Amino acid sequence: MLQQRTLKTLTRAVGVGLHSGQRVELTLRPAPPDTGIVFRRVDLPQPVDIPVSAQSVTDTRLASTVSNGGAKVHTVEHLMSACCGLGLDNLYVDITAEEVPILDGSSASFVFLLQSAGIEHQKAPRRFIRVREPVEVREGEGETLKWAKLEPYHGFRLGFEIDFAHRVVAATGQRYEFDLSRGNYSRDIARARTFGFTKDVEMMRANGLSLGGGLDNAVVMDDYRVLNPDGLRYDDELVKHKILDAMGDLYLVGKPLLASYRAFRSGHALNNKLLRALLAKPSAFEVVTFQDEKLAPIGFAQPARAW
């Protein structure tokens, strides 16, 4: 049987929120089978649990935010991406502020934390959402067009194309495809950092955003070059970060997907809209388990390899 997975022991991190600039403590703890991933605001007078689901996403401006009542947690996508890439099903995320720490701007630090704690198999079948029919969402036309699509596929494959009219971005790859069955998430995707442009950063800070951002946790570009002294971690780091984000956004559906995802200029909002469109069409998906690991897609039977 292909089993669910959680952590062997708890692990902790301290950092700042990308947009809030607030100090935040994060504790990642094992959770029982069928718990899913649950964010817990432990700083509130009465702790509030926020189980992740497509419906729990209530804000997608610049990041994915999950909520339960008045309790919120912003910028969950990088941690969720690490959980997706490592095949982690059940996890409690205790957090002392309203934003997940940005750490180095990628999911690599979360991968390190999760793998350091160890991944443990549980005596319950791992449940997948298998896409049976194509589902697509589109917005805009011409130069403003963006779209995202899920199609049937025995595995999990993502193809993303960005389209920035910027000389630095044009010099990197603007299209990338990653297949979780054949690639290595930790090596190929996890180290890709969030990115931005100096002109946008100035505007966001004027509006109380990106207060915790800097060259130590983002790729920052002016009109001509990358400002980070060490340059890029991958030649195509920017589009790889969009793949990283998409994996985190899609994992908010609450179970791993068996699907092919393709997108053009998509972002957090359109990714969540795609999940809701899928769930609104019962004929387009089914929940499956694999009693025989050999029938599961290649690469899904064991937790992802270390670096």
Side-chain angles (χ1 to χ4, degrees), residues 44-196:
L44 300 176
Q46 292 292 328
V48 176
D49 286 356
I50 309 173
V52 303
S53 68
Q55 291 73 28
S56 72
V57 178
T58 54
D59 193 348
T60 50
R61 292 170 295 176
L62 303 176
S64 287
T65 296
V66 292
S67 302
N68 182 9
K72 300 179 179 181
V73 178
H74 303 287
T75 320
V76 301
E77 61 271 11
H78 297 174
L79 174 56
M80 292 299 299
S81 184
C83 292
C84 177
L86 298 182
L88 197 65
D89 299 285
N90 304 304
L91 181 69
Y92 287 121
V93 182
D94 295 347
I95 189 167
T96 63
E98 64 177 17
E99 188 175 14
V100 174
I102 191 62
L103 301 181
D104 77 338
S106 73
S107 63
S109 296
F110 295 118
V111 167
F112 176 80
L113 287 168
L114 295 169
Q115 290 190 324
S116 296
I119 295 176
E120 184 171 79
H121 288 84
Q122 299 175 289
K123 293 182 179 180
R126 194 168 198 223
R127 294 181 174 84
F128 296 80
I129 293 178
R130 179 159 60 194
V131 172
R132 301 179 60 189
E133 301 173 9
V135 176
E136 183 176 6
V137 290
R138 303 173 72 90
E139 291 181 1
E141 296 179 359
E143 293 184 356
T144 64
L145 174 66
K146 52 186 174 181
W147 54 265
K149 185 175 187 178
L150 288 170
E151 297 175 294
Y153 181 65
H154 189 59
F156 188 44
R157 179 177 63 195
L158 303 98
F160 205 105
E161 182 177 357
I162 56 179
D163 183 31
F164 287 94
H166 188 283
R167 65 175 63 195
V168 174
V169 183
T172 72
Q174 298 209 54
R175 179 182 298 151
Y176 189 76
E177 183 173 295
F178 176 73
D179 193 318
L180 195 59
S181 295
R182 296 194 298 267
N184 183 320
Y185 173 83
S186 300
R187 179 194 66 209
D188 301 332
I189 301 296
R191 297 177 65 245
R193 294 161 293 177
T194 191
F195 62 92

Side-chain angles (χ1 to χ4, degrees), residues 55 135 273-285:
Q55 291 73 28
V135 176
K273 188 176 179 180
L274 179 64
L275 289 182
R276 291 174 184 253
L278 173 69
L279 298 177
K281 190 178 181 183
S283 65
F285 72 95

